[in-house]
Amino acid sequence: MNGLSGYHTWLAQGFGKEESLYRCLKEQILDGRLKQRDVLPSTREAARALQLSRGTVITAYDRLRAEGLALAQQGGYTLVAYSAEDRAPKEQQAPLPRLSGFGERVLALKRNEGISRDLVKHENNILDLSPQECTGLELSRETWQRWMREAVREFAWQKKRMNPLEADESSLEAAIELHLMRHRGVEAHRSNIRVTRGSQEAIMLLVQALINPGERVLIETPGYAGIRYIVESVGGIPEYYNVQDSNQLEDILSITTAKLMILTPNRQFPTGATMEWQQRSQVLRWAEEQDALIIEDDFDSDFGLGSKRYELLQSMDRSERVLYVGSFSRTIHPTLRLGYMVIPSRLVPIIDAIRGVYHRYEAIPMEERALALFMRSGAYERHLCRIRRIISQRAPLYSERLSQAIGSLMEWKPDHIALHIYAEWKGSPSSYAAFKQLALSHGVSWKDGSIYEHLSCDHKLEPTMPFRPSALFGLAHMNQAEWELGCQRLRLAAQSMSSF
């Protein structure tokens, strides 16, 4: 019967009788199989054909009429009132309103980010050795839930919201103060610590406070693309220095007009290198002489295995030039977007003012309370020790297996290994591309390091050392069996490469 043929299909999917009839007719009206002015079966005919009560059919028809899809006529007839041909084309969208300079820059960066990301999706039989956001070493869900419940039990619901300058012993700022003093050698009072939604928000707040459109910011290459996006979003101009060229830093510091530098000296991302003592002194001296500031991003230094453990720039700083930024997203879980900054007192008012624009009446999230309890209990330190122990056990073995597989083609520094291995290709870019395709045909892939390389648009600041093709292999999420299989496939690809 006209319009009723799809009823049993909907009924088989678990919908009720009235709902199935309504959906059946609506679908056919919207896609044009039932056209405008077509007559629907009478309620008696539909009830008899589908073995329904007449009241069920009337209810379904009433819903169609209420939505403007059907129209009741004299004589008990119901007509289709909707024409599929009158639908507005999907591609017709209202034009964007006139955007600010900030809006235009952010929109352009978002579009470019979607193009430039290394987001190749592989088949199920491809073993991906790329570093993963979730490593499997994070805090367990059960453990975090226990601390969240404890935070709820201890929460004083009637207590007045605390001023950050008056943070007490139970606050996350106080827990961070103690942790930094014990484990990082940082003497920071809690009144100079501000908790943020991840380290990226901390850097964004600082850059917004310090950089005007057209001003230059010195950043690392290769490096995390999010730093460049932050600088460009506020209209700043990124300048780059190649962290793999030890001779370039002094030259760039002598000619740059930048008043802000963002770097990861304690475990550089993605190379894993530690900035040498001499370079740290150069950077601090430059900041003092040029009245500049330094953002020390320390998000990836908790699990480095290298023997070089220099003081933090923040600890070496004697003139309040270094703004220290840390994060818990790497150590607890990537979805826990909690970070922090340690800033001098002279910057506290402006940072609090900017934060007040975004979160004027923000209450302290329960996650902050749970993390403070977790840290004060000593469980956070034990958690870090557990991860370091696992990585220290895996890194030598995994590095050895990788070396046996592709050591003739790639090289890396054991001191730079932590949650991932950063390896550089020994040959030409064309041979690297060929090997990558060969490896994929053997069922293994990795993260290409080129996505972290940035070139300055200013010719005088171009890196003096050309980038070599590079790869990132994640250690944390791979068990030994998976790693052995991946290295076996890499070895087969390397053997095929040598036969060319």
Side-chain angles (χ1 to χ4, degrees):
M1 184 175 292
N2 187 22
L4 304 180
S5 58
Y7 166 79
H8 292 288
T9 301
W10 289 101
L11 193 65
Q13 296 180 38
F15 294 99
K17 295 177 180 180
E18 179 259 317
E19 183 70 20
S20 295
L21 177 58
Y22 160 75
R23 286 174 176 261
C24 162
L25 293 171
K26 180 176 180 177
E27 180 184 51
Q28 295 183 70
I29 292 171
L30 291 178
D31 66 16
R33 281 177 287 169
L34 286 175
K35 302 184 183 301
Q36 192 175 36
R37 307 298 299 174
D38 280 354
V39 180
L40 296 180
S42 70
T43 55
R44 287 189 175 85
E45 290 174 327
R48 184 169 56 251
L50 302 177
Q51 296 182 344
L52 300 174
S53 70
R54 190 180 174 207
T56 298
V57 179
I58 291 174
T59 302
Y61 278 30
D62 284 344
R63 290 178 65 182
L64 295 172
R65 287 194 288 268
E67 294 182 17
L69 299 177
L71 185 65
Q73 297 291 300
Q74 280 188 332
Y77 295 108
T78 301
L79 301 179
V80 175
Y82 176 83
S83 173
E85 297 176 356
D86 293 338
R87 287 182 298 183
K90 290 183 180 180
E91 61 272 11
Q92 289 185 1
Q93 298 180 355
L96 278 175
R98 185 176 63 85
L99 300 178
S100 66
F102 177 80
E104 292 283 3
R105 289 190 296 270
V106 170
L107 188 61
L109 288 168
K110 189 65 178 177
R111 288 169 178 163
N112 293 336
E113 182 183 19
I115 297 172
S116 63
R117 276 184 175 176
D118 186 22
L119 294 179
V120 179
K121 293 186 177 180
H122 302 304
E123 301 296 332
N124 292 333
N125 63 338
I126 300 296
L127 183 59
D128 190 1
L129 302 183
S130 303
Q132 302 296 316
E133 189 175 23
C134 290
T135 65
L137 301 180
E138 297 88 4
L139 200 67
S140 70
R141 180 178 62 181
E142 293 75 18
T143 300
W144 184 244
Q145 286 176 339
R146 178 165 63 85
W147 288 103
M148 286 290 289
R149 289 193 296 268
E150 186 68 20
V152 172
R153 279 195 296 268
E154 289 200 0
F155 180 50
W157 294 95
Q158 304 303 321
K159 187 176 180 180
K160 185 178 179 181
R161 186 165 52 89
M162 185 171 52
N163 187 320
L165 295 174
E166 303 170 355
D168 59 25
E169 294 294 335
S170 66
S171 67
L172 181 54
E173 289 85 355
I176 293 172
E177 174 189 346
L178 183 60
H179 174 73
L180 290 176
M181 180 178 65
R182 285 181 176 177
H183 298 278
R184 307 302 287 157
V186 174
E187 295 184 7
H189 192 271
R190 67 197 68 167
S191 62
N192 295 99
I193 297 172
R194 291 295 179 270
V195 177
T196 59
R197 301 296 168 261
S199 59
Q200 185 146 337
E201 182 184 82
I203 295 173
M204 182 69 186
L205 289 169
L206 292 169
V207 172
Q208 281 185 312
L210 301 171
I211 296 301
N212 291 311
E215 293 182 339
R216 294 175 178 264
V217 179
L218 192 57
I219 62 179
E220 301 168 327
T221 183
Y224 175 52
I227 302 299
R228 175 170 64 86
Y229 295 154
I230 288 175
V231 172
E232 292 182 346
S233 71
V234 302
I237 301 174
E239 290 182 350
Y240 308 99
Y241 79 93
N242 188 345
V243 297
Q244 296 167 299
D245 185 352
S246 59
N247 299 319
Q248 194 193 31
L249 179 60
E250 185 175 5
D251 294 337
I252 287 185
L253 292 178
S254 67
I255 61 176
T256 183
T257 59
K259 294 299 182 182
L260 179 66
M261 183 178 191
I262 306 174
L263 71 166
T264 54
N266 311 306
R267 177 171 157 74
Q268 201 277 331
F269 184 83
T271 67
T274 300
M275 178 178 273
E276 297 291 345
W277 185 272
Q278 181 182 2
Q279 292 180 314
R280 292 167 184 258
S281 299
Q282 289 174 354
V283 167
L284 289 172
R285 186 167 57 251
W286 165 80
E288 290 186 10
E289 293 174 352
Q290 301 300 319
D291 192 23
L293 293 171
I294 301 166
I295 297 177
E296 180 178 18
D297 186 4
D298 198 30
F299 88 107
D300 198 35
S301 66
D302 287 288
F303 310 121
L305 304 178
S307 57
K308 296 178 181 177
R309 300 290 290 181
Y310 296 128
E311 274 189 280
L312 300 180
L313 281 178
Q314 203 274 351
S315 299
M316 297 172 62
D317 180 23
R318 296 294 179 266
S319 56
E320 294 190 329
R321 299 286 175 183
V322 178
L323 319 175
Y324 182 85
V325 172
S327 172
F328 298 102
S329 300
R330 298 278 285 185
T331 57
I332 303 232
H333 199 279
T335 58
L336 182 69
R337 306 313 303 175
L338 283 179
Y340 59 93
M341 66 176 92
V342 181
I343 54 178
S345 299
R346 58 197 171 108
L347 284 181
V348 166
I350 180 58
I351 293 300
D352 284 349
I354 297 175
R355 279 162 46 110
V357 172
Y358 290 122
H359 314 290
R360 188 167 183 82
Y361 297 108
E362 180 188 23
I364 299 175
M366 204 58 66
E367 288 85 354
E368 288 188 28
R369 302 178 187 278
L371 182 55
L373 290 171
F374 182 60
M375 294 178 72
R376 290 205 310 272
S377 72
Y380 182 59
E381 295 176 18
R382 294 191 294 273
H383 169 66
L384 292 180
C385 289
R386 178 184 68 87
I387 300 179
R388 291 192 190 107
R389 184 173 62 254
I390 293 173
I391 294 300
S392 65
Q393 292 169 351
R394 289 183 184 178
L397 176 63
Y398 285 20
S399 178
E400 180 184 0
R401 294 292 187 270
L402 190 64
S403 181
Q404 292 169 354
I406 58 171
S408 62
L409 301 175
M410 290 187 177
E411 61 182 356
W412 54 92
K413 296 182 180 179
D415 277 355
H416 294 177
I417 298 175
L419 298 182
H420 70 265
I421 295 176
Y422 178 84
E424 293 185 315
W425 184 253
K426 295 180 180 179
S428 65
S430 60
S431 63
Y432 171 77
F435 178 68
K436 193 172 182 182
Q437 287 302 313
L438 271 174
L440 199 59
S441 68
H442 282 81
V444 64
S445 65
W446 58 81
K447 193 179 190 72
D448 189 40
S450 63
I451 64 172
Y452 299 109
E453 297 168 3
H454 316 296
L455 292 178
S456 175
C457 59
D458 192 333
H459 178 71
K460 66 181 180 180
L461 294 173
E462 288 291 342
T464 57
M465 178 184 293
F467 290 114
R468 297 164 63 184
S470 58
L472 278 73
F473 301 95
L475 304 183
H477 70 291
M478 305 290 293
N479 61 43
Q480 186 173 344
E482 292 171 326
W483 188 261
E484 296 276 5
L485 177 59
C487 289
Q488 181 182 353
R489 294 180 179 182
L490 286 171
R491 184 182 299 109
L492 293 174
Q495 291 172 353
S496 301
M497 189 77 178
S498 63
S499 65
F500 277 11

